[in-house]
Amino acid sequence: MKKMWRGLMTGILGTSMLLGSLGSVSAATVPKDIQGHWAQGQLQEWLDRGYLGGYPDGTVKPNKAITRGEYVTMVNRLLGFTTKATVTFKDMKSTNWNYSEVAKAVEAGYIGGYEDNTFRPNNPLTREEAAVITAKLLKLSTNTTSNKFKDNAQIAAWAKGAVAAAVEKKIVNGYPDGTFGPKRSLTRAEAVGIINTSAIYYPGSGTGGGVTPTPTPTATPTPTATPTPTAAPGGSTGGGSGGGNGGGSSTAPTVSGATYGNVGSVTADVYLTPSVTGAVYYVVAPYNADVTAPTALQVEKGQISNGTASGIHGSVATVANTTVTFSVYGLNPGTEYATYITLADVAGNLSTVTTVRLTTAQATASSISLFEPGQVSTVTADVYVKYGVTGGDTTPVRYVVLPANEKAPTAAQIALGQNGSGTALAAPWTNTLTFAPGVKHTQTLTGLAANTAYKVYVIAGSGSQWSPVEIIQIHTK
């Protein structure tokens, strides 16, 4: 058993480089992005013991999706797999950083490739795939394929038995709303929970396999790693964390005050207030009364109702009961659009879909036809802008850069290089550009502050004849 525990320690410490980066998070500090997280106790326990590394910016990124290659590396190191199989996957070369780990996983027999002879190491691992890995690792019986999840039909036939077995052992669990979410990507926090508990159940650990173990203080998280029922996540996993069993009460996140503002010909702002801290996901598509709105899960994936990817989608972090604004761009002039919005809390629970409809301004001979962000660094950012049509009249283009929380200026104020209060700005916060119409121009913004949100306002025209104001948001690193 001592040998096994030394193996576990070595595996976890090695895996910390995979889960985090070269930086680490001090045990005395609770990273901001795990405060209030359903797995805070367990993650903090791993951080305190040095099993889990953080990122240089002091975050842990518990909700970041984990890839297939990363997951098998964690499992191998934690459970001590060293024997390698000969693998011939088309997308796995000996130079791949995780080639050896994939070879170990295949030899151990808990994962394989796809029908086209690929392994896809960089693909996010789905929840149903995690259940299959768990069942194979722990040699769970998969004869029973029935379950009570509302989305049972979405679970692949090849995963049903594994899902039922892993759920029965409370290693991988469902959502409080009665769904399992088989196609959703597994997060870093969920991966820690599943692998932590799998190590306890693993036949080589001395528990006999399949027998509910009595955790020891050194081998598993202390009781502080178990969240209260109200903190249980929608899609939590990981036995030892106690999350995701659907017990206790759960309040679904909601969105209020969803509306729009600053609508131009090719951009628009959307405003809303979230009930919880988490992230807002949005999808934008031309509005059609005959088209069904996408589901919350589709919005989260950036899809419209037919399951295809929308050309305009994204996400933005939110703080509970604080108004959040995001810009949508890539719109067409004189078109009615629907912005479909869903809110996810830190546990992954999704709100119902809220729809905001807006109509863009008609185009003019000199109006902006493209305005979008480009490369962004800590103190600089590129924006792309185009106006008019090729062969048209050359028209001045004026822009203003302001902190995102400042009052929006009018077209007249932008023309004068002023902010929303009428105060004159100096370079680099404002400038007049002259370039040919119909040409995509790259403008580099300088003098920005690191890790700061800005709004960039742009107009085209002269005298008192200006195009509608176009707005995009950027956030420096």
Side-chain angles (χ1 to χ4, degrees):
M1 183 64 184
K2 290 182 179 179
K3 183 178 180 181
M4 175 64 180
W5 179 237
R6 285 197 296 272
L8 292 177
M9 286 287 290
T10 302
I12 298 173
L13 288 168
T15 305
S16 70
M17 289 299 294
L18 187 71
L19 280 177
S21 65
L22 295 177
S24 62
V25 181
S26 169
T29 303
V30 179
K32 289 183 178 180
D33 63 341
I34 71 169
Q35 293 177 15
H37 193 277
W38 63 267
Q40 177 180 337
Q42 188 171 64
L43 291 169
Q44 189 65 45
E45 178 76 7
W46 279 45
L47 289 166
D48 291 349
R49 291 178 181 273
Y51 305 165
L52 178 65
Y55 287 79
D57 63 357
T59 63
V60 176
K61 304 189 189 320
N63 298 325
K64 182 180 180 181
I66 192 164
T67 67
R68 286 165 53 83
E70 291 171 340
Y71 194 83
V72 299
T73 301
M74 291 174 63
V75 172
N76 291 341
R77 293 180 178 176
L78 191 64
L79 299 183
F81 295 129
T82 57
T83 306
K84 303 175 187 176
T86 300
V87 296
T88 58
F89 299 122
K90 293 188 294 186
D91 58 344
M92 291 300 300
K93 298 180 180 180
S94 58
T95 53
N96 288 42
W97 73 267
N98 48 18
Y99 176 87
S100 295
E101 300 303 329
V102 171
K104 294 174 189 176
V106 172
E107 177 63 24
Y110 64 81
I111 196 170
Y114 291 85
E115 295 83 355
D116 62 352
N117 194 34
T118 61
F119 184 81
R120 306 175 195 176
N122 298 321
N123 276 21
L125 185 76
T126 65
R127 286 169 50 80
E128 63 183 5
E129 286 176 331
V132 170
I133 290 174
T134 300
K136 289 183 176 180
L137 268 175
L138 306 182
K139 304 186 185 307
L140 302 178
S141 172
T142 58
N143 293 331
T144 300
T145 59
S146 62
N147 62 66
K148 298 180 180 179
F149 295 119
K150 295 177 182 178
D151 57 349
N152 176 52
Q154 297 178 23
I155 302 174
W158 49 264
K160 285 186 180 292
V163 169
V167 168
E168 195 276 330
K169 292 295 182 184
K170 300 187 184 303
I171 300 172
V172 185
N173 301 289
Y175 293 75
D177 66 356
T179 62
F180 181 77
K183 312 300 182 188
R184 292 189 68 174
S185 300
L186 194 73
T187 67
R188 286 158 51 83
E190 291 171 340
V192 167
I194 290 176
I195 297 174
N196 185 82
T197 306
S198 294
I200 300 171
Y201 276 82
Y202 186 65
S205 68
T207 65
V211 177
T212 302
T214 301
T216 60
T218 55
T220 62
T222 61
T224 58
T226 303
T228 60
T230 55
S236 72
T237 58
S241 71
N245 58 14
S249 61
S250 177
T251 302
T254 57
V255 168
S256 61
T259 187
Y260 63 86
N262 301 311
V263 180
S265 295
V266 293
T267 66
D269 273 355
V270 177
Y271 308 89
L272 57 91
T273 302
S275 64
V276 296
T277 296
V280 161
Y281 296 87
Y282 62 89
V283 165
V284 182
Y287 177 73
N288 187 324
D290 297 326
V291 176
T292 304
T295 66
L297 189 57
Q298 286 176 319
V299 173
E300 184 186 32
K301 292 180 177 180
Q303 300 173 343
I304 56 179
S305 58
N306 64 6
T308 60
S310 167
I312 307 173
H313 66 272
S315 64
V316 60
T318 65
V319 176
N321 303 314
T322 301
T323 299
V324 62
T325 307
F326 59 88
S327 296
V328 294
Y329 49 89
L331 308 178
N332 292 318
T335 304
E336 184 175 14
Y337 285 91
T339 301
Y340 302 105
I341 301 164
T342 188
L343 169 66
D345 62 19
V346 292
N349 300 309
L350 297 174
S351 69
T352 56
V353 175
T354 297
T355 303
V356 174
R357 289 165 54 185
L358 58 89
T359 300
T360 53
Q362 294 289 344
T364 65
S366 62
S367 62
I368 303 294
S369 57
L370 180 146
F371 191 39
E372 60 187 28
Q375 181 87 17
V376 178
S377 69
T378 53
V379 294
T380 65
D382 288 343
V383 296
Y384 305 126
V385 60
K386 183 167 67 174
Y387 74 94
V389 294
T390 303
D393 294 332
T394 300
T395 301
V397 174
R398 186 87 181 197
Y399 73 82
V400 164
V401 183
L402 297 173
N405 59 355
E406 286 196 10
K407 180 182 177 182
T410 64
Q413 288 172 323
I414 297 171
L416 295 173
Q418 299 175 345
N419 63 16
S421 300
T423 301
L425 303 172
W429 307 110
T430 184
N431 198 2
T432 299
L433 308 175
T434 302
F435 57 94
V439 175
K440 181 179 178 181
H441 172 77
T442 302
Q443 180 67 20
T444 300
L445 308 176
T446 61
L448 308 178
N451 192 28
T452 303
Y454 292 94
K455 282 188 176 182
V456 187
Y457 305 82
V458 65
I459 55 175
S462 61
S464 59
Q465 302 298 313
W466 294 96
S467 69
V469 178
E470 308 290 348
I471 307 172
I472 57 173
Q473 295 190 53
I474 57 174
H475 198 294
T476 53
K477 297 179 179 178

